[in-house]
Amino acid sequence: MRRTSSFRAAYDAALGRWPGPVESVDLPTPYGVTRVNRCGPAGAPPLVLLPGGGATSTVWGACVAAGAARAHQVHAVDLVGDPGLSVPASDRAIRSVGDLVGWLDAVLDGLGPHGPVTLAGHSYGAWIAAHHAALRPARLGRLVLLDPTQVFAGLRPGYVLRAVPMLARPTPDRIRSFLAWETRGAVLDPAWLRLQEESAGFPAVRPVTGPRPDPAGLAHPSGTGPRVEVLFAGLARCHDSGRAARAAREVLPGARVDVLPGVTHHALPLTAAEEIVRRLAR
């Protein structure tokens, strides 16, 4: 998958804003090579972070700066097929939820984590994480879903209509305009925003979509599954966060479910990093 030199420069600039040393690792999987950016003490409890669609692993820099790597070894993953430095296999594409779960299994195998894994995902990354937790509960100690989309509620039609032109024919202007609209003008990391604009020229790969994760699988009434926490963005435009939170509490009575006021969906990992890290540290 071809990446322009300007995309790579923007990626490196965004990653370069992370504090402390960062180790970049390329993990082979049946679905291609997966780039993982790792930091924090070796042997510390593993924290695996999945970004939202198109956001790249660099979106977690604010959380690392807020202290996510103090008590964990952080493994921030570039999704295969998405903008980033992961490289899809030429002969085996990810086409289904089962493929995504198998891909994440291979990533976790490659990381060789010490102890139970905390898996956290934002947006589309949370959808992937929830499916994995529902199907592989024994692999995780904890599941953290950050404003998950298509897990407890569908997308608002107005959000979809606003996103379609950007998704169908992305340009830097369309990406910038959409993010400004959804984040209600929030001040975003300029290096990360520049990377988002550069992703307009990234080869398009149709993301895997499908049903919502099985709530029964996430609930794990036997107590064998991971501890689940869900945090919704109170000003999200993609869904009604209050309604989604009520649905999450109904299907996951044992989970901690909260709505964080004053923050939007796409801005959540960037502008609410301290609150996210506080929850991850518990």
Side-chain angles (χ1 to χ4, degrees), residues 82-229:
D82 243 29
L85 300 187
S86 292
V87 181
S90 60
D91 59 347
R92 190 171 182 183
I94 293 178
R95 301 188 184 280
S96 67
V97 168
D99 290 340
L100 279 171
V101 171
W103 163 75
L104 190 49
D105 276 337
V107 170
L108 294 179
D109 289 342
L111 293 175
H114 302 282
V117 172
T118 295
L119 178 62
H122 171 239
S123 188
Y124 180 60
W127 182 81
I128 296 171
H131 272 293
H132 188 273
L135 295 172
R136 302 285 193 271
R139 297 213 65 165
L140 306 178
R142 193 172 170 206
L143 174 68
V144 181
L145 305 177
L146 302 172
D147 213 40
T149 48
Q150 303 283 62
V151 176
F152 304 106
L155 296 175
R156 281 174 165 157
Y159 174 87
V160 175
L161 287 173
R162 192 77 180 233
V164 162
M166 177 194 67
L167 297 174
R169 191 167 65 84
T171 67
D173 285 344
R174 286 182 173 183
I175 291 170
R176 190 184 311 112
S177 175
F178 177 80
L179 288 173
W181 168 76
E182 198 288 322
T183 64
R184 302 172 193 261
V187 178
L188 305 177
D189 176 3
W192 179 82
L193 189 56
R194 177 61 181 161
L195 177 58
Q196 290 299 286
E197 294 170 0
E198 287 294 337
S199 72
F202 201 86
V205 175
R206 183 180 178 86
V208 172
T209 57
R212 298 178 189 176
D214 180 9
L218 287 175
H220 302 296
S222 65
T224 58
R227 181 161 51 102
V228 181
E229 296 191 40

Side-chain angles (χ1 to χ4, degrees), residues 52 59-63 122 146 263-274 276:
V59 76
W60 300 108
C63 289
H122 171 239
L146 302 172
V263 65
T264 65
H265 176 76
H266 289 279
L268 183 62
L270 298 162
T271 63
E274 291 186 3
I276 292 169

